[in-house]
Amino acid sequence: MKLISNSFADGERIPGDFAFCIPHADHHVCLGKNLNPHLAWSDIPAGTKSFAIICHDPDVPSIGDDVNQEGKTIPASLPRVDFFHWVLIDLPPTITEIAAGEFSKDVTPRGKPGPQSLHGSRQGINNYTDWFASDNDMRGDYYGYDGPCPPWNDEIVHRYVFRVYALDVAQLSVTGKFGGGDVRASLDRHALRSASLTGIYSLNPQLR
């Protein structure tokens, strides 16, 4: 399989239009357009009955105490964990391209609805659900795509890995408020092939 995007090239910076947060001169960051990027895939294996898409950031700080705190930095040496930004499953085999902004066009406080979505697909909750759990204005179930918003005081540039999976089933056997971990566990049994595309993003003015 091959995965491409006209929103950004593999290994290049993700434009701010596809981010949850963008730089702001006075407040470090502000909300972005939060569009999902364009994605197109080809060389589909025989027997494909559906597609799944996962976007995750493997560079999220494992300890969040110093995140976005004035006078502090998050060292590059701190262990990192996965943060899921998009979990999309049950996409029909006839769909091999997603337009920019087709699944997400803005930041939705308390999260976009789900799991039912376009083309008969389903979207899982992303990790902003956990991140905003204690915020009275923002907490909710964040279904679908919500883009990059790495800590503005992080010493590393974050990677965002978009991966499309060709599956041998029309529907994955996940239910309820499923997330990236649930889908990954199910994919192990049904993935015929996959392809990935990685973009980078930082809100640290010293790294931009």
Side-chain angles (χ1 to χ4, degrees):
M1 286 180 68
K2 182 179 180 180
L3 177 62
I4 62 171
S5 174
N6 61 25
S7 300
F8 60 91
D10 190 36
E12 293 189 353
R13 185 181 184 276
I14 297 174
D17 283 354
F18 307 102
F20 193 94
C21 292
I22 57 175
H24 189 282
D26 299 325
H27 308 291
H28 294 294
V29 303
C30 62
L31 297 178
K33 291 184 179 180
N34 201 37
L35 305 176
N36 69 268
H38 164 266
L39 297 173
W41 50 99
S42 56
D43 300 332
I44 311 305
T48 297
K49 296 181 179 179
S50 72
F51 296 106
I53 297 175
I54 291 178
C55 172
H56 82 286
D57 172 3
D59 299 316
V60 170
S62 57
I63 300 173
D65 295 351
D66 294 335
V67 168
N68 298 335
Q69 297 298 308
E70 296 285 355
K72 297 183 178 181
T73 59
I74 300 171
S77 59
L78 185 71
R80 306 291 167 146
V81 296
D82 287 342
F83 186 107
F84 291 96
H85 285 266
W86 196 10
V87 182
L88 173 64
I89 63 172
D90 302 345
L91 199 63
T94 53
I95 304 294
T96 57
E97 185 170 14
I98 288 174
E102 184 174 354
F103 282 83
S104 177
K105 295 183 178 181
D106 55 21
V107 172
T108 304
R110 299 186 179 276
K112 291 183 284 293
Q116 300 303 316
S117 192
L118 301 175
H119 312 297
S121 66
R122 290 183 292 158
Q123 298 194 100
I125 55 172
N126 62 56
N127 282 131
Y128 284 108
T129 302
D130 306 313
W131 179 253
F132 288 124
S134 60
D135 187 322
N136 288 332
D137 295 324
M138 295 292 286
R139 66 185 177 192
D141 293 328
Y142 282 73
Y143 284 94
Y145 177 83
D146 284 301
C149 187
W152 50 258
N153 61 340
D154 203 339
E155 290 184 347
I156 69 170
V157 175
H158 285 223
R159 297 164 292 164
Y160 297 84
V161 184
F162 292 80
R163 185 175 292 275
V164 176
Y165 298 84
L167 307 178
D168 64 0
V169 291
Q171 290 189 324
L172 280 177
S173 57
V174 291
T175 58
K177 296 179 183 179
F178 61 88
D182 303 308
V183 171
R184 273 185 175 171
S186 186
L187 287 175
D188 288 342
R189 301 188 298 273
H190 297 293
L192 298 171
R193 203 174 299 169
S194 68
S196 68
L197 177 72
T198 300
I200 60 173
Y201 195 78
S202 176
L203 290 169
N204 186 332
Q206 298 179 0
L207 299 177
R208 292 200 303 269

